[in-house]
Amino acid sequence: EPEVTQTPSHQVTQMGQEVILRCVPISNHLYFYWYRQILGQKVEFLVSFYNNEISEKSEIFDDQFSVERPDGSNFTLKIRSTKLEDSAMYFCASTHPGSQETQYFGPGTRLLVL
Amino acid sequence: DAKTTQPTSMDCAEGRAANLPCNHSTISGNEYVYWYRQIHSQGPQYIIHGLKNNETNEMASLIITEDRKSSTLILPHATLRDTAVYYCIVIDNQGGKLIFGQGTELSVKP
C-alpha cells in the first residue's frame, strides 16, 4: 500500500539554524499539507499546497517558513531561522483530488531546537 | 476551532466493541465526517469517513444520525493495539485543512 514518507525521522538543531524537512507524498496525489504537533498539544495545520502554490496557510506559517516541491516527488518544509518554540513533530500529508479529502499522513519528523 | 466535541477519554475491555461518540451539531450539508486516530505521536491514521449513510470498512463502522448532528465510531472487537487518540473531524470537499480537536483517548485494557 502506498505511503507518505518523511525524512529525517529526528532532527536536532541549534536555535537560529535553518532546517529542511522532507516528505515524499503518495505518487498520484496532488494536494500536500504540513501539520505540526507540539508535545502534549493538538495537531495544528500549517500550510496546504496545490498546483505549485500555497492554497492556504495558518497564522503559525510566518515568513520563517516556506514550502517547495523541487521535483516531481519531494515536498519540503524549510524553517529559515529556528526558534525554541519550533520544537515539535512535523507531519506531512497528501490527498488526491476527488478522494473526498482523505488525507494520508507520514510518520513525522521530530524536530528539537536547542 | 474544531467543529466537533468528543469525550476526553474512554476505556474499553479487550475483545469488546468500542463505541466512540462525536457531536457535530453545526455540520453543514456538504461536510463529511472523518475519523482519524493517532497512536503515541505517530502520524494520524485515517480510519473511515461518511456523509450521511452508515459506513463500514475493515477497521471500523461509522454510524451517523439521521439529522447528521452526531456520529459514533465503532471498533467491533477492540485490541490493545487500538489504544490511541481518536479524532472526529468535519470537513467539506474543497481540499481544505483538517482541524484537530483534543480527541478521545481510548484505552483498551486486558
Side-chain angles (χ1 to χ4, degrees):
Chain A
E1 186 174 318
E3 293 181 334
V4 176
T5 59
Q6 291 185 241
T7 54
S9 58
H10 296 76
Q11 179 142 8
V12 181
T13 190
Q14 296 291 324
M15 189 171 57
Q17 296 296 304
E18 174 183 286
V19 295
I20 298 176
L21 309 183
R22 291 183 167 79
C23 169
V24 179
I26 295 173
S27 63
N28 64 342
H29 285 189
L30 299 177
Y31 288 84
F32 313 112
Y33 308 81
W34 284 101
Y35 294 81
R36 80 171 186 190
Q37 186 175 32
I38 295 171
L39 186 64
Q41 298 186 22
K42 296 185 288 187
V43 177
E44 301 173 288
F45 167 77
L46 290 178
V47 65
S48 58
F49 190 86
Y50 172 70
N51 201 25
N52 283 319
E53 60 183 31
I54 290 174
S55 308
E56 185 177 2
K57 59 183 181 180
S58 72
E59 291 178 354
I60 303 167
F61 194 89
D62 61 21
D63 292 343
Q64 294 300 314
F65 291 88
S66 62
V67 289
E68 192 178 31
R69 188 156 163 82
D71 53 42
S73 59
N74 289 287
F75 179 51
T76 62
L77 175 69
K78 181 193 291 186
I79 309 175
R80 265 180 270 280
S81 177
T82 51
K83 303 188 281 281
L84 297 177
E85 54 265 38
D86 294 327
S87 296
M89 285 289 291
Y90 287 82
F91 298 109
C92 173
S94 69
T95 189
H96 188 281
S99 71
Q100 298 170 353
E101 305 318 306
T102 303
Q103 294 182 25
Y104 293 92
F105 285 76
T109 293
R110 184 177 297 279
L111 176 65
L112 178 61
V113 182
L114 301 176
Chain B
D1 287 346
K3 296 183 181 180
T4 62
T5 55
Q6 300 177 250
T8 303
S9 63
M10 293 181 64
D11 290 341
C12 178
E14 188 179 19
R16 299 285 193 150
N19 298 283
L20 291 91
C22 178
N23 287 320
H24 32 79
S25 57
T26 61
I27 192 169
S28 59
N30 62 340
E31 288 182 320
Y32 290 78
V33 180
Y34 271 77
W35 283 83
Y36 283 80
R37 73 181 182 183
Q38 189 177 26
I39 299 172
H40 195 247
S41 295
Q42 296 177 22
Q45 179 189 21
Y46 166 75
I47 302 173
I48 198 168
H49 74 282
L51 184 62
K52 51 186 175 182
N53 297 321
N54 297 338
E55 303 288 344
T56 295
N57 64 18
E58 65 278 4
M59 289 182 71
S61 295
L62 173 61
I63 308 297
I64 304 174
T65 57
E66 195 168 338
D67 64 7
R68 301 210 322 125
K69 293 185 177 182
S70 65
S71 60
T72 301
L73 178 74
I74 301 171
L75 308 178
H77 306 286
T79 70
L80 299 179
R81 287 183 292 182
D82 292 321
T83 293
V85 180
Y86 287 77
Y87 300 100
C88 169
I89 300 170
V90 297
I91 184 168
D92 63 23
N93 192 17
Q94 300 295 321
K97 59 184 179 285
L98 296 177
I99 300 175
F100 288 82
Q102 295 290 356
T104 296
E105 187 168 0
L106 176 69
S107 295
V108 181
K109 299 180 185 298

